[in-house]
Amino acid sequence: MKCHYCDREAVVRLPYAKLNLCREHFAEYLLRKLERSVERYKMFGRGSKVVVGVSGGKDSVTLTKLLSESGLAKLLVVHVNLSIGEYSRISVETVRRFSVEHGLDYLIVDLSEYGISIPELVAKTRRSPCSVCGMVKRYVLNALTLDLGYDALATAHHADDMAVYIVKSFLLQDYDQLYKISPVNYEVPGLAARKIKPLYEFYEFEIETFAKLYGLPFVSVKCPFKHAGWLERYVRELLDKAEEESPGFKISLLRSHARRTLSMRSAEQAKPKACASCGLISSGTECSFCRFTRRALGQPMGLVVRRWIIEQAAASGTRRVTGTPPSSVG
């Protein structure tokens, strides 16, 4: 097959766009797609400061590469070290290598000295590893974005996952979660950072193809705790079949969902509350992170995390930063 735009051989076919593209035009297409998504959903203004949560996997690495190439924002790569043995070691080194190779500012958050590690927290509670992991990362990234004065927090959720989450939440009648599945979750000044998903309309095969074509370093091994339930597997299979029958189905679903969610305000945002322990957004007296760490570790750890962030920012005079706990800053 020839590229739709030139005589070079095509390396990828995009059924939903009816395009065959060579390596160079594929990269250009994805870059334009990213820029259109940022503009369509009004994610941030040109020249904004954006934190990018980078796990080291193909999705977050590709997102960071495209955002960097676009020049739309000043980026800070942030990796939360979850202390999951060899998996976390590989992830940290991958993020460090990628950031250095691309000249990006980066911060690696490691709070294991305070017992904030997934294995330790899971061992002390009955919560599933995935739910604990998600809660910790959400808290740390939100706090860091606010306390370092950045305009938005970008994560690498893509179309295939977003479509599954939408259908799954609808089937479970979880309307609070349905609202949060949006390309943009608006900021609540002083309490919650603006959260954006620039890959909201990107298919996973596009992301993986780009990462491999351009030799981006990424973690290919799966997290040992990762688990998909039967409902999620069923919904994914159903949506993949629908996409096969009607290319572009998932994007149509996502755009329709976004039109509704972006015109609404959640109850949490309409009546924001501040956590009594750390001061960040909460649905009750205490946020889920402080409440959970109080039970697991004997004290709420929100302020510990926020103080670490402020101290680390003050102590780091270099462009690239590797985080250390407060006790060794200095």
Side-chain angles (χ1 to χ4, degrees):
M1 296 182 296
K2 294 294 183 182
C3 175
H4 181 82
Y5 297 108
C6 68
D7 291 331
R8 288 189 288 259
E9 183 178 353
V11 295
V12 63
R13 173 164 176 74
L14 308 180
Y16 70 96
K18 298 179 181 179
L19 290 175
N20 302 316
L21 299 174
C22 66
R23 181 176 182 271
E24 290 75 13
H25 282 115
F26 177 53
E28 291 178 10
Y29 177 86
L30 291 190
L31 193 57
R32 289 197 305 270
K33 185 174 181 178
L34 178 85
E35 293 170 348
R36 287 196 300 268
S37 290
V38 169
E39 181 179 357
R40 173 180 293 116
Y41 298 117
K42 297 179 174 57
M43 294 185 178
F44 58 84
R46 184 175 289 272
S48 295
K49 298 193 301 178
V50 176
V51 168
V52 189
V54 181
S55 67
K58 65 184 187 309
D59 305 333
S60 58
V61 166
T62 294
L63 168 61
T64 309
K65 174 66 173 177
L66 290 173
L67 281 173
S68 176
E69 291 294 323
S70 74
L72 293 173
K74 174 180 173 56
L75 306 180
L76 173 64
V77 170
V78 176
H79 174 76
V80 181
N81 184 350
L82 303 169
S83 302
I84 307 175
E86 183 67 5
Y87 171 77
S88 287
R89 187 194 69 77
I90 295 172
S91 298
V92 167
E93 289 308 311
T94 300
V95 173
R96 195 194 313 276
R97 174 187 165 195
F98 171 79
S99 301
V100 170
E101 287 179 354
H102 291 83
L104 297 168
D105 295 348
Y106 71 91
L107 176 62
I108 295 173
V109 179
D110 184 352
L111 295 168
S112 57
E113 180 174 307
Y114 299 93
I116 303 177
S117 70
I118 301 307
E120 188 167 350
L121 289 173
V122 168
K124 292 182 177 181
T125 67
R126 295 181 179 180
R127 290 275 294 271
S128 71
C130 289
S131 67
V132 174
C133 175
M135 178 192 59
V136 170
K137 288 194 294 186
R138 283 192 299 271
Y139 185 87
V140 171
L141 291 171
N142 179 57
L144 189 145
T145 304
L146 286 175
D147 289 336
L148 296 190
Y150 277 72
D151 301 304
L153 165 62
T155 56
H157 297 86
H158 55 68
D160 296 277
D161 283 346
M162 290 294 94
V164 169
Y165 298 156
I166 289 170
V167 175
K168 179 183 174 183
S169 296
F170 177 78
L171 291 173
L172 295 174
Q173 297 292 281
D174 188 348
Y175 293 112
D176 288 340
Q177 185 63 28
L178 262 176
Y179 176 84
K180 296 176 183 178
I181 304 170
S182 174
V184 179
N185 296 109
Y186 297 112
E187 66 274 18
V188 179
L191 299 179
R194 170 176 286 241
K195 300 175 181 64
I196 60 174
K197 303 178 183 70
L199 300 184
Y200 185 74
E201 294 187 6
F202 281 61
Y203 290 96
E204 186 173 18
F205 83 89
E206 295 177 301
I207 295 167
E208 184 171 9
T209 301
F210 178 85
K212 289 180 177 178
L213 281 175
Y214 284 85
L216 301 182
F218 64 87
V219 179
S220 56
V221 296
K222 289 185 178 181
C223 172
F225 289 133
K226 189 173 179 60
H227 170 73
W230 69 267
L231 181 57
E232 183 173 326
R233 292 196 300 270
Y234 175 80
V235 170
R236 191 175 297 275
E237 291 171 4
L238 177 66
L239 289 171
D240 286 345
K241 181 63 175 176
E243 182 71 27
E244 183 181 339
E245 294 290 334
S246 179
F249 172 81
K250 292 179 183 178
I251 290 179
S252 295
L253 170 66
L254 291 167
R255 287 183 179 176
S256 177
H257 179 74
R259 282 194 295 271
R260 181 162 182 79
T261 58
L262 292 177
S263 66
M264 298 166 57
R265 286 280 180 173
S266 70
E268 180 182 58
Q269 289 177 314
K271 299 178 181 179
K273 299 177 183 178
C275 172
S277 296
C278 72
L280 295 186
I281 197 163
S282 174
S283 59
T285 303
E286 198 168 46
C287 71
S288 59
F289 179 81
C290 285
R291 189 168 61 250
F292 177 81
T293 51
R294 180 191 294 277
R295 290 200 305 266
L297 304 174
Q299 64 172 315
M301 299 298 288
L303 276 184
V304 172
V305 172
R306 299 192 73 183
R307 287 171 182 153
W308 178 90
I309 290 167
I310 293 170
E311 291 180 16
Q312 182 61 44
S316 59
T318 58
R319 289 187 67 249
R320 301 179 187 87
V321 189
T322 298
T324 52
S327 60
S328 57
V329 169

